[in-house]
Amino acid sequence: MKKIIHFSKAFVPCVILSLTLIVLGVVGLFTKGLNMGIDFKPGLIEEVRIAPTALELNYKGTARVTIELTNTDMKLIVSGIGADNQTVSFPYVKYGTVGALATALNEVEGVTATPKVDTTVSTIGMFANSEVSTVLGLSPYRVHYNSGSSVDIETVRNAVAGIEDASVKAIGSEAERSYQIRVGDDGSSTEISKKLQSLVSTALTSAFGEDNVAVVKTDFIGAQFSTSLATNSIILVVLTLLLIWLYATIRFHWDFALGAVLAILHDALIMLAFITWTGLEFNSTMIAAILTIIGYSINDTVVVLDRIRENVKIVKTKNFKDILDISQSETLRRTIITTVTTLLAVCSLYFFTTGSMKEFALALIVGMISGVFSITIAGAVIAFCRRNWSPSDEEKKTQFIAVEDIEA
């Protein structure tokens, strides 16, 4: 006995719910706006940490000494005139405190390491300013550490308040807090990148001191490139929808194609609404997430449409909604198994990653749930288009199975 779930009874409520969510997303888009990433909003985006200096390193000699920091150790790469080429490693497991590390570094000829904090401070998690040359010289090379406390975000905002169109966003836990500083580019100067970096650096060092500021990462996107990327992204999404519509029309029927395209458009709009109201950064990663869900959703929808096409030939009924209910019921188990299996992998990404990958996974989770729901939207569209449907002469010649026989 086959259990038929009457999805058609939920068509109207589901459409109303979807329209409500989409309208809320559009309202949010005009009132709140998207949190545009550096890909689509031209300008400088710089991630900085306000943290004290643990060590200052200098080098006086004829060789070239380069420092390399990782999460597990510090390396000094010695090369050039007056020295044997070698790499000296200082693992944090062996040199667990700033004092022990400084003592070991001072044994390298020409290198001077000066602790700037209590020598018992742990070396785990030390980091440096990415904008400073890694080649040691007479100028101090500063290595920073997590002090366990972070500067209040309002203090950082006040520090850069004098820079036009500057915004600040806190990232990470309080113990490892960093700040994302974004400054817009109006396209008025070809040297704007260096100018903006200088403005941010001057503002932060004036407020917190040169030895307490470390730049983690810097990105810059010019105005012309940003506009081109945004335009190409829109074209890419629209072209994808048109090609899917063409494919579904050729393989099935125009109303099936309309239902399929509206279903995946529904998923894209739901994701956009979610991104808007949660404040996730809208960047090229989010475009990738939307395109991924479009591909994933159309796969599920095509399976249902294929089953509908087959059932039209064999199910005896005068109401097309019966065929939709039977088809969706027959593919429900497949849809659930596929979605749950994929969700396990995506949830793993969400819980065990950070940054843009975590946001990508979150967008996929929402999109996949919406993708399952949108099968009902596709069914509602097809049911509306075929509200006056009746079996064709060719279909009447087919050996039908009555709906009652399926349910019995």
Side-chain angles (χ1 to χ4, degrees):
M1 181 174 70
K2 296 181 181 179
K3 173 67 175 177
I4 298 178
I5 301 173
H6 295 281
F7 291 96
S8 57
K9 293 181 179 179
F11 282 169
V12 174
C14 287
V15 169
I16 293 174
L17 176 60
S18 292
L19 287 175
T20 302
L21 293 175
I22 290 171
V23 168
L24 287 175
V26 173
V27 170
L29 200 60
F30 283 99
T31 58
K32 191 172 183 288
L34 286 170
N35 177 26
M36 290 294 187
I38 189 65
D39 298 341
F40 299 107
K41 184 179 180 181
L44 173 76
I45 184 167
E46 196 167 76
E47 185 179 340
V48 300
R49 299 180 73 170
I50 311 301
T53 299
L55 276 174
E56 280 191 357
L57 281 75
N58 304 83
Y59 175 72
K60 185 177 181 180
T62 57
R64 177 186 173 90
V65 179
T66 304
I67 187 169
E68 183 179 302
L69 282 176
T70 68
N71 293 329
T72 58
D73 65 358
M74 176 187 293
K75 293 184 178 70
L76 292 185
I77 303 167
V78 184
S79 60
I81 301 172
D84 295 329
N85 293 339
Q86 61 176 324
T87 298
V88 187
S89 180
F90 303 92
Y92 299 147
V93 173
K94 183 177 181 180
Y95 306 100
T97 65
V98 170
L101 181 60
T103 300
L105 287 168
N106 283 322
E107 292 178 0
V108 179
E109 186 177 353
V111 174
T112 302
T114 307
K116 306 300 290 185
V117 293
D118 188 334
T119 54
T120 61
V121 169
S122 173
T123 55
I124 302 297
M126 293 197 308
F127 56 95
N129 190 336
S130 65
E131 291 192 331
V132 176
S133 173
T134 57
V135 178
L136 297 184
L138 297 178
S139 300
Y141 180 89
R142 298 182 178 89
V143 181
H144 302 262
Y145 77 105
N146 294 318
S147 62
S149 60
S150 60
V151 176
D152 183 78
I153 188 171
E154 292 302 326
T155 306
V156 180
R157 283 175 177 155
N158 291 335
V160 298
I163 303 175
E164 186 178 355
D165 194 27
S167 60
V168 181
K169 176 184 175 183
I171 302 174
S173 62
E174 185 175 355
E176 299 182 355
R177 180 63 48 83
S178 60
Y179 299 94
Q180 187 184 79
I181 300 174
R182 179 182 294 162
V183 186
D185 170 24
D186 57 7
S188 60
S189 173
T190 57
E191 299 294 325
I192 190 67
S193 174
K194 294 180 180 179
K195 180 182 177 181
L196 293 178
Q197 284 180 265
S198 177
L199 287 173
V200 172
S201 177
T202 301
L204 292 176
T205 54
S206 297
F208 305 107
E210 188 177 1
D211 56 349
N212 290 319
V213 178
V215 177
V216 178
K217 183 175 64 174
T218 301
D219 290 308
F220 182 84
I221 296 293
Q224 185 175 359
F225 180 80
S226 178
T227 302
S228 175
L229 185 60
T231 303
N232 290 338
S233 298
I234 294 171
I235 293 173
L236 179 63
V237 173
V238 172
L239 187 59
T240 301
L241 292 174
L242 288 175
L243 289 174
I244 289 174
W245 191 338
L246 180 62
Y247 163 77
T249 302
I250 294 172
R251 181 171 178 181
F252 301 106
H253 195 264
W254 71 266
D255 52 353
F256 283 31
L258 179 62
V261 169
L262 288 180
I264 57 179
L265 185 60
H266 159 274
D267 295 335
L269 291 175
I270 291 295
M271 288 182 69
L272 197 62
F274 177 78
I275 292 168
T276 300
W277 285 109
T278 55
L280 292 177
E281 187 174 284
F282 189 78
N283 48 30
S284 55
T285 302
M286 287 301 159
I287 292 292
I290 291 173
L291 291 174
T292 300
I293 290 303
I294 286 176
Y296 185 88
S297 179
I298 193 60
N299 179 62
D300 273 347
T301 305
V302 164
V303 170
V304 177
L305 296 182
D306 195 57
R307 188 58 60 89
I308 293 171
R309 182 178 60 178
E310 294 301 318
N311 284 334
V312 165
K313 301 176 182 178
I314 62 174
V315 177
K316 182 180 180 181
T317 180
K318 292 183 179 180
N319 190 345
F320 197 80
K321 288 183 179 179
D322 292 335
I323 297 176
L324 292 174
D325 290 338
I326 293 168
S327 303
Q328 290 181 312
S329 298
E330 289 176 343
T331 57
L332 181 62
R333 178 178 294 181
R334 181 257 182 206
T335 299
I336 292 175
I337 291 174
T338 303
T339 303
V340 170
T341 304
T342 311
L343 272 175
L344 290 175
V346 176
C347 286
S348 298
L349 280 178
Y350 176 74
F351 288 112
F352 298 110
T353 59
T354 58
S356 60
M357 184 58 70
K358 188 181 185 74
E359 294 183 349
F360 175 74
L362 180 59
L364 284 184
I365 291 171
V366 174
M368 291 175 67
I369 295 172
S370 174
V372 174
F373 180 80
S374 67
I375 295 175
T376 306
I377 303 300
V381 173
I382 297 170
F384 178 79
C385 293
R386 298 208 174 191
R387 59 191 182 279
N388 298 320
W389 173 86
S390 62
S392 65
D393 292 337
E394 182 180 350
E395 291 165 344
K396 287 177 181 177
K397 297 176 184 177
T398 310
Q399 181 64 44
F400 281 109
I401 301 173
V403 175
E404 294 77 10
D405 294 335
I406 296 175
E407 294 181 307

